[in-house]
Amino acid sequence: MKRHAEAIVVGAGPAGSAAAYFLAASGHDVLLLERAAFPRDKPCAEYLSPEAARILDAMGALADVEASELARLRGMAIRSPSGVEAVGAFRAETGYRGYREYGLALRRTVLDAILARRAVAAGAALQERSYVSDLLQESDTVTGVVVRSGDSKYVLRADVVIGADGLRSVTARRSGLGSQGHWPRRMALVTHYQRVAEMRPLGEMHVRRWGYVGLAPVGGDVVNVAAVFPARRMPGLPGAKAKFLEQCLEEVPGLGVRFSRAERVGPVLAVGPFNWHARRAVRPGLALVGDACDFFDPFTGEGIFTALSGGQLLAEHVHDALRAPNATARYGALLDYDRARRRRFSGKRRLERAIGVTVALPPLMNFVLRALALRPKLADLLVGVCGDFIPAGAVLRPRYLVDLLAGGLAGEPLPPPPTSSLADPLGHRGALSERPPN
């Protein structure tokens, strides 16, 4: 067993596998540690934005992903607590184009195994069933990890440790970098169903006063189903999770009929609390990436893209750190990564938090969704930003906010729902219906 590597990556999800792939492809000695064994499941929306395909292609993984059982999503539909639905398309006249004109949705059991194999093909060593329980620290510098595997416990040393171990990261907590945010603090229950009626090639978000329900086809007549709600509502008993999720679905108008013949085909997994962040992403000898850095709320569905993009960005700076002549220069390269990460993701983080607050305030959500339904181009821009191929500034600029305000205040009636929304889910380019609030 290897006891030292230039870089040890903790966690073989999208962020860790991307960082391991790009580092190994640059010629570095990389050890990738995964606490489970592949294939393994993860509670996740299982959605990749159109721009995520660019990084998959750079990793040589896109062909394998697109050859898998998956769904291609053409946009997003969001329904407000009052019943107004707005639809935004990835392929729209916005002046921007993504790497693909659709998002990809597939099971994490498939995606993560593909990405880990690509990291190994690039030269990284993968060690499964290896749980990192602590960091090895000398003075202020992280020099390795403490690993538990079966009944054994041992130390592995590295020049740089990469924490890619997800929400509530062990590496973030042991290093003192991570902290739990306050309001809003949400949890999620995630599972899969078959035979859900009236599914369109769209991701769906159904916002309620207590939170929201997300639906997304992931291929093979399987639908990813998630309910997101305040952490205080999480049922205490493991056996109560499935019943609680069913109650959430029943509380959404129209979903009861669509699930009347559906069958749950997997366990109900819990994840959260969200609103986790690291005060900074580095300290000497350590860098965090993906959800280990930040995870505010899953509504915008960008977690996998952010993980892949962050892993690629981090690998560039760790490459510089490993070539640095001394410890000071090495830490300087990691600090450069932290600054670059903030520049790349700061706009999206501001938008993500604005959306999170809007979802938590039903009257505001009703207002915004009415504006988006009446102004489809605004919905296309917002969905394109969430699809990662339109810069966040396009919807954070004053002009967009003024247009949104004008749309919400407009007295014009909403257009009637189309008669063939399933055959042409984006052809209507606007509202589907308006229901009275519960």
Side-chain angles (χ1 to χ4, degrees):
M1 179 187 298
K2 293 179 61 172
R3 295 292 183 178
H4 179 273
E6 284 187 286
I8 288 178
V9 182
V10 183
S17 289
Y21 171 85
F22 288 108
L23 274 173
S26 296
H28 294 289
D29 175 29
V30 181
L31 177 59
L32 180 59
L33 302 178
E34 168 57 40
R35 66 182 299 173
F38 292 104
R40 54 100 175 99
D41 210 353
K42 286 281 187 178
C44 172
E46 299 180 317
Y47 154 76
L48 292 85
S49 66
E51 202 63 13
R54 185 185 302 276
I55 305 171
L56 293 178
D57 210 5
M59 294 178 65
L62 183 58
D64 286 344
V65 168
E66 292 202 310
S68 303
E69 192 169 63
L70 51 72
R72 291 173 172 82
L73 304 184
R74 304 293 174 173
M76 301 294 294
I78 309 171
R79 187 176 289 270
S80 74
S82 67
V84 175
E85 184 178 84
V87 177
F90 293 134
R91 182 179 181 179
E93 297 303 319
T94 60
Y96 298 90
R97 283 288 181 268
Y99 197 71
R100 288 290 189 269
E101 293 183 339
Y102 46 80
L104 302 173
L106 72 162
R107 300 288 300 271
R108 288 289 297 271
T109 51
V110 177
L111 174 66
D112 288 14
I114 291 172
L115 297 178
R117 287 198 299 269
R118 291 306 303 156
V120 171
L126 172 63
Q127 192 171 304
E128 298 173 275
R129 296 189 176 90
S130 299
Y131 170 63
V132 171
S133 60
D134 208 346
L135 297 175
L136 189 66
Q137 304 182 58
E138 298 176 8
S139 298
D140 191 42
T141 302
V142 174
T143 58
V145 295
V146 179
V147 180
R148 294 184 182 274
S149 182
D151 296 329
S152 61
K153 178 180 177 181
Y154 52 90
V155 168
L156 299 175
R157 294 182 178 272
D159 299 317
V160 175
V161 173
I162 294 173
D165 45 344
L167 186 66
R168 299 187 60 78
S169 155
V170 171
T171 53
R173 286 185 281 121
R174 294 291 187 269
S175 65
L177 295 178
S179 65
Q180 185 73 58
H182 299 290
W183 186 87
R185 291 188 64 200
R186 300 187 179 113
M187 301 277 297
L189 294 175
V190 185
T191 191
H192 297 90
Y193 278 81
Q194 283 183 327
R195 296 190 296 278
V196 179
E198 299 183 6
M199 288 303 302
R200 300 166 287 178
L202 303 170
E204 300 180 23
M205 305 301 290
H206 299 262
V207 182
R208 309 306 300 152
R209 296 186 181 279
W210 45 260
Y212 56 90
V213 169
L215 308 179
V218 292
D221 194 33
V222 176
V223 175
N224 179 291
V225 179
V228 181
F229 46 84
R232 65 180 182 275
R233 293 191 62 182
M234 172 61 77
L237 298 176
K241 291 182 173 59
K243 182 174 179 58
F244 185 82
L245 177 60
E246 291 171 1
Q247 291 173 347
C248 290
L249 297 177
E250 290 170 359
E251 291 180 21
V252 178
L255 284 192
V257 174
R258 294 173 62 186
F259 277 80
S260 61
R261 301 182 64 183
E263 176 186 4
R264 184 163 57 83
V265 291
V268 176
L269 304 177
V271 60
F274 305 131
N275 200 357
W276 163 268
H277 68 278
R279 292 181 292 277
R280 63 181 186 279
V282 301
R283 57 174 292 185
L286 174 71
L288 305 177
V289 67
D291 292 350
C293 282
D294 295 284
F295 193 100
F296 181 70
D297 191 89
F299 190 91
T300 54
E302 304 167 66
I304 295 178
F305 169 79
T306 301
L308 292 170
S309 180
Q312 183 181 35
L313 178 66
L314 174 58
E316 298 170 5
H317 291 274
V318 172
H319 172 70
D320 292 340
L322 293 173
R323 297 174 61 190
N326 53 54
T328 300
R330 179 173 296 169
Y331 185 42
L334 297 183
L335 287 172
D336 287 342
Y337 156 69
D338 195 28
R339 288 187 284 267
R341 181 188 68 87
R342 293 178 188 277
R343 286 194 300 271
R344 177 172 296 188
F345 298 121
S346 62
K348 297 296 289 296
R349 294 306 187 201
R350 290 197 300 273
L351 177 63
E352 185 181 45
R353 281 158 175 75
I355 291 174
V357 170
T358 302
V359 169
L361 300 172
L364 180 58
M365 192 67 184
N366 291 334
F367 180 91
V368 169
L369 260 293
R370 179 178 176 83
L372 295 177
L374 289 170
R375 304 287 188 270
K377 289 184 178 180
L378 299 183
D380 291 337
L381 279 172
L382 179 61
V383 167
V385 171
C386 294
D388 301 303
F389 60 90
I390 296 180
V395 298
L396 293 175
R397 59 189 173 90
R399 179 65 187 177
Y400 183 90
L401 301 177
V402 169
D403 289 345
L404 195 67
L405 180 62
L409 294 174
E412 58 195 280
L414 291 164
T419 57
S420 58
S421 62
L422 296 183
D424 186 16
L426 298 175
H428 61 283
R429 308 304 307 117
L432 296 182
S433 65
E434 183 167 13
R435 302 174 186 266
N438 283 348

